[in-house]
Amino acid sequence: MNSSTQNIPAHTQIPRHIAVIMDGNGRWAKKRFLPRVMGHKHGLDALENMVGNCASKGVEYLTVFAFSTENWRRPEDEVSFLMGLFLQALQKKVEQLHKNNIRLKVIGSRERFNADIIKGIEAAEALTAANTGLTLSIAADYGGRWDILQAVNKLIAEGETEITEAAIARHLMLGDAPEPDLFIRTGGETRISNFLLWQSAYAELYFTDTLWPDFNGQSLNDAVASFQKRERRFGRTSEQLPADQQRS
Ligand code: IPE
Ligand code: IPE
Ligand code: MG
């Protein structure tokens, strides 16, 4: 079972699962005297590069925060630009992902998306479902609290009378994936902003001032190098770890 509190995950040099809060698009644009939304456009390019770079490193799961349950609070024109960009990406970028053997998933509530976006998501997921390369999960209208609640509500609907940790873990949006090993946030803020709350219990957090549109292959290498220096104890003492996992 994929639960860091119930089993100690296998140790790997390359994180099996990387989660990213892609933050700083607006500030990237502002620095260039461009409208905020131009930052989102360049952010999409950075994401394409990130997918390729993760795939070539052998990362198995990449989960990116594209739109939070709280981002609906933004000005209407920014929200509608983001929805338009999402739809465009679903229509224009998925073919290439498919060619690269990438499996695409969209995690989050779909209730507030328009019919075209929902159709685009379903088509993209169906097209890429059998791919065996990197699994790319786009978190859109996603919140960590929402995720835990939907898991619990599914359990209730199934008639479960005793809610266990394992049952919740299984019903989360990423229930079939290992938990994130490396959790990156760009853009300088050092907070989680309601991303993968449950799944990040033992994730290695990495914060960088780099704004998301500037995040490139070297930035990823730096993040992975930082990850490789961490001693992941999962509650144990350093002395209990195999010698090759001790870092001090
Ligand atoms: C992250 O960049 C993208 C989304 C939240 C959609 P921001 O838009 O939050 O950029 P900043 O934080 O304002 O610079
Ligand atoms: C988090 O960034 C959400 C995404 C990157 C999609 P925000 O910019 O919305 O986070 P806060 O509001 O600064 O915490
Ligand atoms: Mg932000």
Side-chain angles (χ1 to χ4, degrees):
M1 193 228 322
N2 292 321
S3 170
S4 57
T5 44
Q6 309 222 324
N7 302 302
I8 293 165
H11 179 81
T12 57
Q13 277 295 104
I14 296 294
R16 292 186 65 197
H17 184 172
I18 299 182
V20 188
I21 300 183
M22 307 184 290
D23 195 23
N25 294 350
R27 279 162 286 162
W28 182 94
K30 198 170 170 193
K31 259 180 35 186
R32 289 165 178 75
F33 306 101
L34 294 168
R36 287 180 54 82
V37 295
M38 289 305 288
H40 299 317
K41 221 166 136 298
H42 283 85
L44 180 59
D45 298 336
L47 175 57
E48 270 190 276
N49 287 330
M50 178 70 167
V51 172
N53 290 332
C54 285
S56 55
K57 277 192 188 304
V59 172
E60 296 168 58
Y61 297 85
L62 172 64
T63 304
V64 297
F65 209 3
F67 194 88
S68 72
T69 47
E70 291 70 56
N71 285 145
W72 295 106
R73 296 170 178 161
R74 292 194 176 195
E76 216 177 289
D77 56 347
E78 181 167 342
V79 170
S80 79
F81 181 92
L82 284 165
M83 291 301 141
L85 193 64
F86 188 26
L87 181 60
Q88 238 187 330
L90 286 167
Q91 290 168 343
K92 296 196 178 146
K93 307 282 186 189
V94 171
E95 199 56 49
Q96 192 58 43
L97 292 177
H98 182 50
K99 280 192 188 127
N100 294 337
N101 195 24
I102 285 158
R103 183 163 65 132
L104 181 76
K105 294 193 170 189
V106 177
I107 60 169
S109 168
R110 295 187 187 172
E111 281 173 16
R112 294 179 74 172
F113 293 150
N114 71 33
D116 288 340
I117 292 182
I118 294 172
K119 232 169 49 192
I121 293 171
E122 287 171 354
E125 289 186 336
L127 178 71
T128 62
N131 290 345
T132 54
L134 177 83
T135 297
L136 170 63
S137 300
I138 310 272
D141 199 3
Y142 176 88
R145 291 184 178 179
W146 169 86
D147 196 359
I148 295 167
L149 276 174
Q150 67 79 32
V152 171
N153 281 320
K154 268 189 212 152
L155 288 167
I156 293 171
E158 287 169 13
E160 204 66 66
T161 49
E162 201 195 327
I163 309 238
T164 64
E165 183 176 327
I168 292 181
R170 219 175 28 248
H171 286 75
L172 291 170
M173 284 282 117
L174 298 173
D176 55 353
E179 292 178 12
D181 302 294
L182 173 59
F183 183 122
I184 298 172
R185 181 174 187 142
T186 63
E189 311 294 353
T190 46
R191 54 176 172 256
I192 306 293
S193 298
N194 197 17
F195 196 25
L196 303 164
L197 296 180
W198 178 287
Q199 300 90 332
S200 298
Y202 274 99
E204 294 298 330
L205 305 179
Y206 179 83
F207 297 102
T208 171
D209 289 336
T210 303
L211 303 172
W212 176 250
D214 291 328
F215 193 90
N216 59 21
Q218 185 56 52
S219 322
L220 175 63
N221 290 345
D222 292 346
V224 171
S226 167
F227 171 80
Q228 289 170 343
K229 290 197 200 99
R230 313 282 179 95
E231 190 175 76
R232 303 194 75 193
R233 293 190 286 272
F234 298 99
R236 299 164 296 173
T237 68
S238 182
E239 292 72 19
Q240 287 175 292
L241 305 183
D244 66 324
Q245 291 178 30
Q246 291 176 5
R247 292 285 174 267
S248 45

